[in-house]
Amino acid sequence: MTDTVPASLPAVIELVDEYMYRVLKGAEDSVLVIGELMGALTELNAEVSEVSEGSVGKLYPLFGDLSDIVDGFPFDYGDGTEMIAQREIRDAAWDWMTTARNADGLKTYVDRWIARSAALPTIEDGQPFRDVAR
């Protein structure tokens, strides 16, 4: 069963598409692009309250987890931190662009990236530092 589909799902998909294309072009720092995407999602959420429902509402913390890698969360990779953050964000962008553009595709994408984020090493006694699955 899929989450309730917000009326603004096409707007969310279009918005995320725009930023993921920018990440994949590689002309900008992908961590900064994801930060901008998070801001845009916040603005969209303010305009359309149902955006926070279901899988759509999990996009913001999911992208936050990816961008937090450069800050040493959930684990400090030392000299490889920036490279790992860039890789994870590019992988997330590529995965987004190859995911079906509907509620089921979005749910699959979110579930897959929640699991991937949870599989990264952590500094919190082996526990994900943020449980976005709730």
Side-chain angles (χ1 to χ4, degrees):
M1 177 175 254
T2 61
D3 299 4
T4 303
V5 180
S8 59
L9 181 62
V12 171
I13 289 171
E14 184 178 332
L15 177 72
V16 177
D17 279 355
E18 174 188 335
Y19 288 88
M20 293 306 185
Y21 279 123
R22 287 174 55 193
V23 166
L24 291 174
K25 283 173 61 176
E28 302 172 74
D29 181 329
S30 60
V31 176
L32 296 178
V33 173
I34 288 298
E36 289 179 31
L37 170 57
M38 292 171 62
L41 285 169
T42 301
E43 290 175 20
L44 184 61
N45 190 32
E47 293 173 19
V48 187
S49 62
E50 67 267 18
V51 169
S52 63
E53 295 295 322
S55 296
V56 172
K58 294 177 182 176
L59 286 172
Y60 182 92
L62 185 126
F63 294 138
D65 288 349
L66 291 172
S67 68
D68 282 349
I69 293 171
V70 298
D71 298 325
F73 295 107
F75 184 80
D76 187 353
Y77 294 96
D79 292 341
T81 299
E82 180 72 25
M83 178 194 66
I84 290 167
Q86 298 286 342
R87 180 200 67 209
E88 290 297 303
I89 292 168
R90 277 192 308 272
D91 286 356
W94 182 254
D95 192 21
W96 174 266
M97 300 311 290
T98 59
T99 296
R101 298 299 197 274
N102 56 36
D104 290 333
L106 179 62
K107 181 178 182 334
T108 299
Y109 177 84
V110 166
D111 291 347
R112 185 169 41 245
W113 280 92
I114 287 172
R116 184 164 170 166
S117 291
L120 291 172
T122 68
I123 56 175
E124 308 281 330
D125 297 324
Q127 299 298 315
F129 70 101
R130 181 184 307 140
D131 185 5
V132 294
R134 289 183 198 178

